[in-house]
Structure formats: structure tokens, C-alpha cells
Amino acid sequence: MTLGENLHVCPKCEYHFTIDASARLNAFLDPDTFEEFDADLQPADVLNFQGPKAYAQSLEKYQKLTGMPDAVISGTGQVRGPPDRPSP
Ligand SMILES: [Zn+2]
């Protein structure tokens, strides 16, 4: 069994490796059922924050590093198919 097949948990010692949000969604949801909401949503710097590093600079840095526009992914998907419904 590969590490990926074991959801990035070591089959010998059960260490949980860090995975990104996309890998987590793929592991958790039924294949091809995820529909992302607001994929083009962008963070706003309404305070024009200036710390040790300006917020706008940090945003740009992490957007490039992650390839994501924001830190949040939201959407809908299925887990083990549609819910069972009671018989009429
Ligand atoms: Zn291990």
C-alpha cells in the first residue's frame, strides 16, 4: 500500500503527514463530486494593514506559494453517495 492509498498516514507507525486542502478534499469526498463556491473570491485589505510586513505583500507571497487566491476553500460534495431516503 502506498502512502497516498493510505491517505498519507504511515502504514507502519500511523504518523499523519501534512496534506494540503485539495488533497484533504480528495481523500474525504466521493470522486468528482466537489463543486467549489466562490473560486475567484479575493481577500481584501480593508485596514491597509502595515505590520513588520504589509498585509498586501504577505497576500501576494502566499498566493504565489500556494497557487490559491485565498486561504479558504468552500463548496459542496458527497460523502459515500447521496443520503439514503426512507421508502415511501
Ligand atoms: Zn512511519
Side-chain angles (χ1 to χ4, degrees):
M1 175 182 291
T2 67
L3 196 56
E5 289 168 341
N6 205 38
L7 305 178
H8 301 277
V9 177
C10 177
K12 293 182 181 173
C13 69
E14 298 187 7
Y15 177 81
H16 289 235
F17 288 89
T18 301
I19 58 174
D20 63 24
S22 175
R24 177 73 177 128
L25 288 170
N26 287 333
F28 185 74
L29 298 172
D30 294 347
D32 302 319
T33 62
F34 182 65
E35 291 179 41
E36 188 172 0
F37 299 150
D38 304 316
D40 56 348
L41 191 67
Q42 293 283 331
D45 184 13
V46 294
L47 300 175
N48 191 24
F49 183 77
Q50 303 292 325
K53 198 177 219 180
Y55 186 62
Q57 287 178 305
S58 294
L59 279 177
E60 189 177 326
K61 174 185 171 184
Y62 288 108
Q63 285 173 330
K64 282 182 183 171
L65 272 173
T66 63
M68 296 172 55
D70 202 353
V72 172
I73 299 175
S74 62
T76 184
Q78 293 182 358
V79 178
R80 297 183 181 173
D84 292 336
R85 296 200 169 92
S87 301

